Amino acid sequence: WSGGFGLADVKKKLPAQPDTLYRVGSISKLFNAVAVMQQVEAGKLDLDAPVQKFAPDFRIQSRFTNAGPVTLRQLLCHRSGLIRESPVGGYFDDQQPTVFATVRSVADCALVNPPNTQTRYSNIGATVAGYAAQSVAGMAFDFYQREHILGPLGMSDSSFVLTPVVRRKLSNSYMRMANADGTFRHEASPLFELGTIPAGNLYASAEDLARFMSCLFAEGKTAAGKQILGADSLKEMFTPQLTGATNGFGLGFSVGRFGSFNAVSHSGAFYGF
């Protein structure tokens, strides 16, 4: 069952539909992690090798002596020591740089802490992992997602980039802004592409996200019976990484407890969404 609630366009009084698209923010990181793990299964990526082996354009400064290398496993579970945001391509950069330019922009930045010493959420970290996946696959990240994940899952309305079809189905978004007299107003949110596309640029409907969830419940198998990721890979993704704690980050997923149950999840937010 699915339904639409509220308005997709307030001014035009257009109702939201079950297939209305929204920007889902950091839920993008789950699809990014699936792409990385597909390439691990294909033997093209190694979670524990230095990430520069697969993404030679990635460079970052380190002031820590004897610090180990940054790895894909660390990037996917937020224990790489990388800064949270890149100098270009983040939430405040409306110039829409490429993933390549975004990754290159951290060359003059420094690690915040040595790799694998602290859990520190990082959008550029996830982006570097996605860049490694697209590099070894030999295709742009959004095209890879369409061909190997979104398409096979039947997520026909979803996309990592703004297409004419996406624009037609995309809900308008609004932000609550403060006035000087203490009252508030709502203004339309800006609409631009992030340079950190793998970390937060997915456009998706609730129905399409449900198709992704169904695949997770089916241990990596789509409704059409296609195996897009192995059950063992998903089990690893659902397991806290590089920590003895029961709560933390797996590979892409946030892992914790809900009552007596194991819980895997990820939230997401973007301007107005």
Side-chain angles (χ1 to χ4, degrees), residues 188-211:
S189 306
L191 182 62
F192 58 86
E193 306 282 72
L194 295 173
T196 51
I197 283 178
N201 212 63
L202 178 62
Y203 302 85
S205 65
E207 286 186 338
D208 274 0
L209 289 179
R211 292 181 173 93

Side-chain angles (χ1 to χ4, degrees), residues 52-64:
Q52 280 93 347
K53 179 179 179 180
F54 315 107
D57 299 302
F58 167 67
R59 293 283 187 278
I60 193 164
Q61 306 297 315
S62 177
R63 61 184 187 277
F64 306 107

Side-chain angles (χ1 to χ4, degrees), residues 5 24 43 91 141 152 190 233 250 260:
F5 300 86
V24 302
Y91 287 104
F141 186 83
S233 292
S260 61

Side-chain angles (χ1 to χ4, degrees), residues 139-148:
M139 61 184 73
F141 186 83
D142 60 296
F143 184 80
Y144 181 92
Q145 286 284 337
R146 186 168 68 248
E147 292 295 307
H148 296 281

Side-chain angles (χ1 to χ4, degrees), residues 35 39 47 103 120 147 160 231 246 255:
Q39 293 304 303
L47 288 175
V103 169
R120 186 182 298 277
E147 292 295 307
F160 268 84
T246 56
V255 182

Side-chain angles (χ1 to χ4, degrees), residues 7 17 46 60 65 139 144 182 228 246:
L7 299 173
Q17 303 293 337
D46 182 336
I60 193 164
T65 58
M139 61 184 73
Y144 181 92
I228 68 164
T246 56

